[in-house]
Amino acid sequence: MKRSIFVISILVILSMLLAACGQATEAPAEPVAPAEEPAEPGEEMAEPAAAEVVYDRSETLYVSGAAWGPPSTWNPFQPGSLANTTGTLGFVYETLFDYDPMSGTMTPWLAESGAWVDDNTYAVTLRDGLTWSDGEPLTATDIAFTFELAQQYTAMWFAPMWDYLTSVTVIDDLNLEFAFVDPLYQEWENNLYNIPIVPEHLWADRTEEEITVGANENPVGSGAYLYETHSEDRNVWLRNENWWGIPVFGAPAPRRIVDIRTSSNNVALGMVLKGELDLSNNFLPGVAELANQGYVDTYFAGAPYMLSANTAVLFLNTTKSPMDDAAFRRALAFAINVDDIVNVAYANLVAAASPTGLLPNLDTFIDHDLVAEIGWTYDPAEAAAILTEAGYVMGDDGFFNAPDGSDIALEVTCPFGWTDWMEAINVIASSAQAAGINIQAVTPDYGAWNDALQGGTFDMTLNNWAALSNTPWTLYNLLFRHPIQDVIQSGNFGRYDNAAVFDLVDALATVQSTDVAGMQAACSEIQRVLLTDVPMIPLWYNGLWAQFSSAVWTNWPMDGSASPTLPTTWSGYWQLGGLNTLINLEPVVAE
Amino acid sequence: MRRYFGRKFLIYGLTFFLAVTVDWLIPRFMPGDPISNILSRSLLNAEGAQQMYDYYERVFGLDLPVWQQYLNFWGSLLHGDLGISAYLFPQPVTRVIWRAVPYDAFLLLPSILLSWWAGNKFGAYAARTKRLDNTILPIGYILTATPYMWLGILLAWIFGIVLGIFPIAGAYSYSMQPHLSWLFIKDVILHWFLPFASLFLVGFGGWAIGMRNMIIYELEADYSHYLEALGAPRSLIRKYAFRNAILPQLTGLALQLGVIVAGALVTEVVFSYPGIGYLLLSAIQNQDYFLIQGCFLFIIIGILIANFAIDIAYVIVDPRTRMGMLGDSS
Amino acid sequence: MIERLRNNEFLFFAFRNKRLRVGLFIVLFFLALTLVGPLLAKYDPSEYAAYGSHPPSAEYWFGTTTFGQDVFSQFVLGLRATFLVGMIGGGLGTLIGVVVGFTAGYNGGIIDEVLNILTNIVLVIPTLAILLIIAAYLNVRGIVAESIFIGCTAWPWAARAIRAQTFSLRTREFVDLSKLSGMKSGKIIFTEIAPNMMSYLVMTFILQFGGAILNAATLDFIGLGPTSTISLGLMMQYSVLWGALQLGQWWWFMPPGIAITAIVGAMYIMNVGLDEVFNPKLREM
């Protein structure tokens, strides 16, 4: 017996040692691609203090809800993968402009100013004194280099821009010009706050593979934060004390940011209750209750508690009967009880969407008269009337049959495990059934669902990629993406084929953003098609989930603040005001 | 001796070969295409997307005929190269798994061994008196019948949130980097304790019941009665009974290793503990062939090694097996 | 004559055995709840009966979920799914295990070797990992499909146990006698060996039943359960995903776990009780 105790304790200790060895190799990752070598330490680099392995609570910001997997890549040109290293674009790499959805304006960021010199030339003047974190200056050469990467490699996501961009000319260190032929003004402006600028002196010698898909470990950028370390469930960013933006915008308050990845939302909920998170961008169930009880604060003190982040759209597969019939689609729009989705499925954390699909920040482009005239509301009687008029006949089972007599049995899908969507499609199915349309809610696994989405084999399903944007064009470009291919990955999943509306969307892209009236007119025409033909149904605005605690950091943006910004850490949102939130934060002064 | 281990090697080798083949096969028949998944969020235009698709196909070797992929798989396996993860592109699978292994080892080994040892000890106690039997045994039943995650969540709720003693997520504090200090070690143990406890408790129940049954059986065997008739003290009889009873428990330990993966996976999900089980689940949800294969392989290799270790332990502990090795089947 | 005496003796001890009584009582209670419950349940499990979450009350016996669904209605339907998985999964596991184990044990030789290797392989492969992967193949899963997977991966335990028992029985004198007297193999199996194995079969089935329920709960919890119906494991998963405990909605989280623990625990207790009934040696305790 004694021997077995001995053996067992040896084994236990061995396993702990093994674990310890494994963890000790965590801290800085060994580079797979060539590491960023600092050229010469011209100025002093901000290095993390060697002994700093325990973070001071009052200097650290703990956030969650942005990363969903272990960090694996810091390549700013891979928007999808950046979901797990959310600060790469925004903290480390920056863009020429920022966009503030709250005020609807483009803020010059790296650029000091940018303007259309004439219809085909865009001139940019950079700020003076921009630097990279390794001390080198950021000049127009870097900008030109970054843009020209997409000319060389078609795998860059903004390569299509070179269809109408002809050349980038560097005039001097701070000035450059972009020359176009028939520019898509809307796309260009959208790109201005989405294209990260990378250092030419470090990237010029990289191979195509490294640039397009390399991991880019230990990234060197121009931004307010530096990469410090990471592990399976966290990213740690350290403030760049030499950031060029400090005299311009102010320094972001937290010295360190720990971006935590939890295995699911309810774990984040537990951490919020324990006070371990400052900002949580997860969808937390019951957060309305928590806000009422004072555990957390949210942007709005009452419903819908959250700002709106993207539009959840129900895509209808127009290649299948009866969804190829506009009357059926329109009737369906009247049959869905969006209020139940808002009140029951989401417990008032979201808001119903405009039938045009545009988010509130683009309200100027919603043609309200048109919506009042031909928009829809929840009205099952109207749905029935439309169907009957179109030749659908109510069967004995209480469900409508197609005009040719065939049964209608459809499925609305979402990935299994996306709990809020699962409840939403339950509401869609049950309200449709109540109106006489036989729709069942089905929840396949993500892989199968995604295949059906991209392959166009689904009946109807949800998608919410139409996110906050500076222009209505991005939404309509997503909804009416063309040309239609066998495998569709980026919009128009219902394969709605309408050359007229495609032309309208293309025309919208060519309207100058200063021409508000022109944009409104173009949008109005697109919306007319959307409201009459109803190829897809915008249902609700998903929330910009944000719950924050004022225990350690205060002055969070809330409704009624002087100049509120977006309280979010989501990838792709730092340039939408997320970084400004950090700049405005204040530490709670200990009494 | 040689025949005994020879047969064992043969069985393990065969098992390994078949398991690896099954491992290679299964993910390939999963519905869905991992490359489209990677590309789905890139919003590339048609030409760019096609180029990336071809690139990824080359990188993952998916453009080769199936039989060649199989052979390449064995080849890289022997080099220790398990390919590149699709879900965590461009990290190599080996690196991803290697980071998760310490957490699993740290969690599983102590809980398996300690629950086995403690369960057997308490099971043996229970076989002593009726009173102990009636208290320990029901506890054992309840514990072993409890689903892992339910227990885990209850523990997290009670000790983590209500009482606030333990943290409920992660392997070590989010405010620290791994380094050698008492503070860090204490922190790691705090994070480890609840997941360990939930695995330990459920395992403990099972072993306690098993051991109790075995001991009772042994106590009723002829040799026990004989010893008793000879006037041997009860403790001596119990000692012999325990030695005999431990053998099936050893076998049970080997069998348990395959099952414990389930418990660990669920526990890891509940506590966000970054081990292989959770990695496997994420890989499946993201249809990452190579990561699935890698995790699976690690688990199988781990189990085979552990089984082998137990076979060796069997030889040490059981004289009959030692004698039997000179003869026929084990 | 011997048969009848044997039956009486078993039944006699069976009813006296406290463990068996307790275990059986618990299982029958839940079984009754499964059968009678749906008649008592007032709502459809997925119906939004109330707005938001309510604690147990006269109207909602087990309270409501965060969406206002009646927990009791979900509970009784989930119980049914649980029993179904136990029956089918456990039954299938026992069946395959018995067939494999018995064939291996009775025939011996090369058949035994091959089946042994097969059993070892299936034992070694972590069943959950396989279940995960297989479950991910199917778009839409039902309870029956889940039970079949579980049955197909849980049989090695039963096979091993049955094989060992068959081995020991095969070498007993009465089998030799039957062979000597010229009885055919099949008859020997059915009339001589099977009755002695009965007890073992019953106990194996009970263990498989309990194991299947736990396996199903695990699968459901990680999201690979049935996509078209409710089960206790799914209830646990939803209640966890929607933060039931953290938000104080204990009535949604506790009942499924308690039910599973009770049923499986009762099964194990019954098993021990039966062991005592069938093995007089254990009755001392």
Side-chain angles (χ1 to χ4, degrees):
Chain A
M1 201 51 212
K2 286 211 185 101
R3 203 199 304 176
S4 55
I5 300 182
F6 179 65
V7 169
I8 288 182
S9 22
I10 294 280
L11 284 171
V12 168
I13 295 178
L14 268 178
S15 63
M16 292 194 183
L17 278 177
L18 175 63
C21 291
Q23 281 167 3
T25 62
E26 285 306 344
E30 310 99 43
V32 169
E36 311 257 4
E37 311 272 345
E40 254 144 34
E43 292 156 25
E44 206 188 271
M45 286 177 273
E47 293 204 47
E52 197 157 2
V53 282
V54 182
Y55 308 141
D56 189 339
R57 182 66 179 95
S58 62
E59 290 182 334
T60 317
L61 186 73
Y62 292 98
V63 302
S64 81
W68 283 108
S72 61
T73 174
W74 293 263
N75 185 330
F77 297 119
Q78 296 216 299
S81 315
L82 288 185
N84 296 334
T85 52
T86 56
T88 302
L89 178 54
F91 278 167
V92 178
Y93 295 100
E94 297 174 304
T95 52
L96 284 174
F97 282 83
D98 265 19
Y99 172 68
D100 181 14
M102 311 296 275
S103 61
T105 51
M106 299 277 281
T107 320
W109 196 259
L110 285 178
E112 187 172 296
S113 66
W116 288 98
V117 173
D118 56 48
D119 276 352
N120 290 328
T121 322
Y122 190 80
V124 171
T125 307
L126 293 179
R127 291 180 194 272
D128 202 1
L130 298 173
T131 51
W132 296 104
S133 64
D134 61 356
E136 293 294 313
L138 196 167
T139 64
T141 326
D142 296 303
I143 316 285
F145 171 76
T146 307
F147 278 79
E148 281 165 356
L149 281 179
Q151 188 186 31
Q152 286 181 294
Y153 308 122
T154 45
M156 306 288 275
W157 65 264
F158 52 102
M161 193 174 57
W162 283 90
D163 288 345
Y164 51 91
L165 174 65
T166 51
S167 70
V168 184
T169 322
V170 175
I171 299 177
D172 59 39
D173 269 355
L174 295 181
N175 288 292
L176 64 161
E177 267 186 11
F178 296 86
F180 297 88
V181 170
D182 292 331
L184 298 183
Y185 297 100
Q186 301 291 331
E187 187 180 73
W188 171 250
E189 252 193 32
N190 190 267
N191 283 347
L192 280 179
Y193 70 86
N194 278 314
I195 298 180
I197 306 299
V198 296
E200 188 254 350
H201 66 276
L202 294 173
W203 286 60
D205 296 328
R206 293 192 176 183
T207 65
E208 176 177 356
E209 186 175 330
E210 283 162 0
I211 293 180
T212 50
V213 295
N216 189 32
E217 297 181 344
N218 294 318
V220 169
S222 58
Y225 281 89
L226 306 167
Y227 161 81
E228 186 175 19
T229 182
H230 74 281
S231 81
E232 283 74 29
D233 52 4
R234 72 200 71 182
N235 280 294
V236 182
W237 310 96
L238 182 67
R239 188 172 56 203
N240 180 359
E241 308 297 344
N242 295 322
W243 183 46
W244 60 266
I246 294 182
V248 181
F249 301 109
R255 177 148 180 275
R256 227 182 223 96
I257 300 187
V258 178
D259 179 12
I260 300 172
R261 161 220 177 196
T262 53
S263 59
S264 59
N265 285 332
N266 56 287
V267 178
L269 178 58
M271 290 180 72
V272 163
L273 288 175
K274 283 174 65 103
E276 292 176 354
L277 287 177
D278 294 311
L279 169 64
S280 161
N281 289 127
N282 305 73
F283 170 65
L284 293 185
V287 84
E289 263 308 299
L290 290 182
N292 289 339
Q293 287 175 28
Y295 275 102
V296 290
D297 292 316
T298 50
Y299 184 84
F300 292 110
Y305 298 93
M306 310 288 167
L307 291 163
S308 300
N310 51 64
T311 313
V313 177
L314 183 70
F315 277 93
L316 308 172
N317 191 342
T318 59
T319 61
K320 284 193 183 185
S321 161
M323 283 146 318
D324 50 358
D325 179 8
F328 178 79
R329 300 194 296 258
R330 194 165 155 79
L332 184 56
F334 280 94
I336 299 179
N337 189 345
V338 181
D339 281 334
D340 260 3
I341 296 180
V342 170
N343 296 330
V344 178
Y346 280 96
N348 292 313
L349 290 178
V350 299
S354 158
T356 59
L358 287 173
L359 284 160
N361 69 309
L362 294 173
D363 189 72
T364 17
F365 302 109
I366 299 180
D367 188 338
H368 292 283
D369 294 330
L370 192 60
V371 172
E373 188 191 321
I374 53 175
W376 54 74
T377 55
Y378 176 55
D379 192 343
E382 176 72 18
I386 297 178
L387 284 176
T388 328
E389 199 180 309
Y392 290 78
V393 181
M394 172 75 81
D396 297 327
D397 52 359
F399 294 126
F400 280 98
N401 293 331
D404 61 6
S406 55
D407 275 347
I408 297 179
L410 301 169
E411 291 181 348
V412 57
T413 58
C414 83
F416 185 76
W418 295 19
T419 45
D420 44 334
W421 279 21
M422 285 167 68
E423 287 308 317
I425 63 171
N426 278 338
V427 172
I428 294 175
S430 52
S431 54
Q433 283 170 18
I437 307 176
N438 184 4
I439 303 182
Q440 302 289 332
V442 172
T443 52
D445 276 323
Y446 176 79
W449 171 83
N450 194 35
D451 281 345
L453 179 75
Q454 297 187 355
T457 52
F458 63 96
D459 286 343
M460 47 187 83
T461 189
L462 291 171
N463 177 278
N464 70 332
W465 290 358
L468 272 178
S469 163
N470 66 318
T471 164
W473 173 79
T474 47
L475 169 69
Y476 294 125
N477 190 37
L478 180 99
L479 295 184
F480 300 115
R481 195 133 184 114
H482 54 281
I484 297 177
Q485 297 152 331
D486 289 331
V487 173
I488 294 186
Q489 294 180 332
S490 44
N492 196 6
F493 300 105
R495 293 148 192 268
Y496 176 62
D497 203 349
N498 181 338
V501 84
F502 294 160
D503 289 338
L504 287 174
V505 174
D506 289 339
L508 173 60
T510 60
V511 177
Q512 284 256 23
S513 54
T514 44
D515 180 9
V516 175
M519 285 175 69
Q520 283 173 330
C523 288
S524 181
E525 294 198 31
I526 299 177
Q527 287 162 11
R528 181 174 291 277
V529 174
L530 179 57
L531 294 176
T532 8
D533 249 15
V534 198
M536 63 281 300
I537 307 177
L539 289 176
W540 76 90
Y541 297 133
N542 255 332
L544 188 79
W545 316 121
Q547 296 83 220
F548 32 88
S549 145
S550 297
V552 180
W553 298 97
T554 183
N555 200 27
W556 294 97
M558 290 199 258
D559 187 31
S561 308
S563 47
T565 49
L566 294 187
T568 178
T569 59
W570 290 351
S571 179
Y573 282 77
W574 291 114
Q575 322 91 282
L576 293 178
L579 192 60
N580 290 326
T581 305
L582 295 183
I583 295 176
N584 294 334
L585 274 184
E586 288 160 15
V588 166
V589 181
E591 260 123 65
Chain B
M1 171 88 79
R2 203 156 13 117
R3 253 191 84 174
Y4 176 73
F5 281 115
R7 284 184 92 242
K8 287 289 170 186
F9 271 128
L10 178 65
I11 291 185
Y12 286 138
L14 208 56
T15 310
F16 182 67
F17 180 76
L18 277 170
V20 167
T21 306
V22 164
D23 177 48
W24 178 83
L25 273 178
I26 286 185
R28 277 181 164 67
F29 289 109
M30 275 182 66
D33 178 5
I35 300 184
S36 337
N37 268 344
I38 304 179
L39 291 176
S40 68
R41 284 299 221 136
S42 323
L43 299 181
L44 292 173
N45 63 331
E47 190 191 324
Q50 188 55 43
Q51 194 189 24
M52 291 310 296
Y53 197 91
D54 294 336
Y55 168 75
Y56 283 121
E57 258 201 330
R58 264 199 332 272
V59 166
F60 293 125
L62 293 174
D63 51 343
L64 300 169
V66 174
W67 61 266
Q68 205 171 343
Q69 288 182 40
Y70 181 60
L71 289 175
N72 286 348
F73 182 67
W74 273 105
S76 347
L77 187 61
L78 295 172
H79 281 113
D81 170 20
L82 290 170
I84 304 206
S85 160
Y87 151 60
L88 297 174
F89 196 81
Q91 304 284 329
V93 169
T94 334
R95 202 193 325 172
V96 174
I97 292 183
W98 205 240
R99 292 174 111 170
V101 166
Y103 295 114
D104 254 327
F106 190 41
L107 196 57
L108 286 179
L109 284 176
S111 63
I112 295 178
L113 295 171
L114 285 175
S115 68
W116 187 78
W117 176 77
N120 283 332
K121 212 151 171 40
F122 278 87
Y125 283 154
R128 275 193 218 186
T129 69
K130 203 164 170 84
R131 200 151 50 96
L132 277 175
D133 194 34
N134 283 335
T135 43
I136 293 188
L137 209 51
I139 297 178
Y141 293 141
I142 295 177
L143 285 178
T144 194
T146 312
Y148 284 111
M149 62 286 197
W150 194 73
L151 184 63
I153 293 172
L154 267 183
L155 287 178
W157 169 242
I158 297 174
F159 293 102
I161 298 185
V162 173
L163 294 178
I165 306 176
F166 293 101
I168 56 168
Y172 52 97
S173 170
Y174 294 108
S175 66
M176 295 190 203
Q177 280 183 40
H179 61 280
L180 208 54
S181 78
W182 282 117
L183 187 64
F184 183 67
I185 293 181
K186 189 178 98 151
D187 179 68
V188 167
I189 292 189
L190 274 182
H191 277 87
W192 165 85
F193 190 75
L194 284 184
F196 161 78
S198 63
L199 287 174
F200 172 82
L201 286 173
V202 177
F204 171 83
W207 294 122
I209 298 179
M211 185 47 132
R212 174 252 182 207
N213 286 340
M214 300 272 51
I215 292 252
I216 293 181
Y217 220 84
E218 294 297 326
L219 284 178
E220 296 308 317
D222 290 336
Y223 70 87
S224 298
H225 289 302
Y226 186 58
L227 278 176
E228 203 178 329
L230 286 180
R234 205 133 165 81
S235 57
L236 183 70
I237 304 177
R238 272 206 302 276
K239 199 169 88 165
Y240 285 146
F242 190 82
R243 286 246 204 92
N244 284 325
I246 209 78
L247 297 172
Q249 296 293 79
L250 264 182
T251 316
L253 185 60
L255 303 186
Q256 183 69 1
L257 293 168
V259 176
I260 203 78
V261 171
L265 191 152
V266 168
T267 309
E268 285 167 13
V269 170
V270 168
F271 290 101
S272 283
Y273 209 78
I276 291 192
Y278 183 49
L279 199 58
L280 178 59
L281 185 61
S282 309
I284 290 177
Q285 287 168 343
N286 289 281
Q287 296 175 289
D288 186 348
Y289 288 168
F290 291 88
L291 196 52
I292 293 176
Q293 280 176 346
C295 291
F296 212 71
L297 210 57
F298 255 73
I299 296 176
I300 290 181
I301 291 179
I303 292 179
L304 281 176
I305 293 179
N307 268 301
F308 194 64
I310 290 182
D311 280 330
I312 297 183
Y314 223 91
V315 170
I316 298 176
V317 173
D318 183 7
R320 291 176 303 189
T321 315
R322 280 200 293 269
M323 309 276 269
M325 286 193 306
L326 307 172
D328 65 350
S329 62
S330 47
Chain C
M1 169 68 169
I2 302 180
E3 317 285 288
R4 216 178 306 138
L5 231 185
R6 196 180 280 153
N7 284 338
N8 279 338
E9 181 190 345
F10 281 144
L11 285 177
F12 175 69
F13 279 110
F15 281 121
R16 301 278 308 278
N17 190 296
K18 192 166 78 162
R19 300 209 167 92
L20 195 53
R21 279 204 311 240
V22 169
L24 204 55
F25 175 70
I26 295 180
V27 173
L28 287 180
F29 168 72
F30 278 103
L31 198 56
L33 197 57
T34 312
L35 298 171
V36 169
L39 303 173
L40 298 174
K42 302 180 212 168
Y43 305 96
D44 192 64
S46 49
E47 184 190 326
Y48 300 125
Y51 256 165
S53 177
H54 300 275
S57 63
E59 174 68 16
Y60 309 109
W61 294 350
F62 278 11
T64 60
T65 69
T66 198
F67 305 111
Q69 296 155 328
D70 184 26
V71 174
F72 183 73
S73 312
Q74 290 189 339
F75 181 71
V76 291
L77 208 62
L79 267 184
R80 184 177 354 147
T82 302
F83 272 104
L84 215 62
V85 168
M87 294 296 294
I88 300 181
L92 190 61
T94 313
L95 188 62
I96 301 181
V98 166
V99 166
V100 169
F102 196 79
T103 321
Y106 192 71
N107 288 315
I110 193 75
I111 298 184
D112 181 31
E113 291 288 327
V114 169
L115 285 177
N116 217 22
I117 292 183
L118 180 66
T119 310
N120 273 331
I121 291 178
V122 180
L123 259 178
V124 167
I125 292 182
T127 58
L128 185 76
I130 295 256
L131 284 175
L132 288 189
I133 296 175
I134 294 181
Y137 275 125
L138 301 183
N139 294 351
V140 183
R141 295 179 290 272
I143 289 281
V144 176
E146 191 183 22
S147 322
I148 296 181
F149 307 146
I150 293 177
C152 290
T153 49
W155 58 264
W157 301 78
R160 267 214 180 188
I162 302 279
R163 172 179 172 273
Q165 186 73 345
T166 314
F167 252 145
S168 74
L169 278 181
R170 182 176 69 143
T171 54
R172 294 262 193 94
E173 307 82 30
F174 62 88
V175 174
D176 287 335
L177 276 177
S178 310
K179 276 198 186 145
L180 273 180
S181 69
M183 237 196 231
K184 286 227 295 268
S185 253
K187 203 138 179 265
I188 300 182
I189 294 178
F190 278 112
T191 57
E192 301 291 339
I193 299 189
N196 284 294
M197 297 263 301
M198 237 334 123
S199 58
Y200 231 75
L201 288 181
V202 172
M203 296 198 314
T204 307
F205 175 68
I206 290 181
L207 286 177
Q208 290 277 320
F209 192 96
I213 292 182
L214 283 178
N215 259 335
T218 306
L219 273 185
D220 291 351
F221 184 75
I222 53 182
L224 291 171
T227 54
S228 49
T229 179
I230 193 85
S231 75
L232 292 182
L234 276 181
M235 278 179 77
M236 275 197 281
Q237 190 206 24
Y238 287 143
S239 64
V240 168
L241 281 178
W242 289 94
L245 269 188
Q246 285 105 328
L247 297 173
Q249 298 159 4
W250 54 269
W251 53 89
W252 192 12
F253 175 73
M254 303 295 283
I258 294 180
I260 291 183
T261 309
I263 295 178
V264 178
M267 288 262 137
Y268 289 161
I269 296 181
M270 268 171 58
N271 196 33
V272 173
L274 274 178
D275 208 12
E276 287 173 3
V277 168
F278 290 130
N279 283 316
K281 287 185 185 174
L282 294 176
R283 284 191 210 137
E284 302 303 310
M285 281 299 208

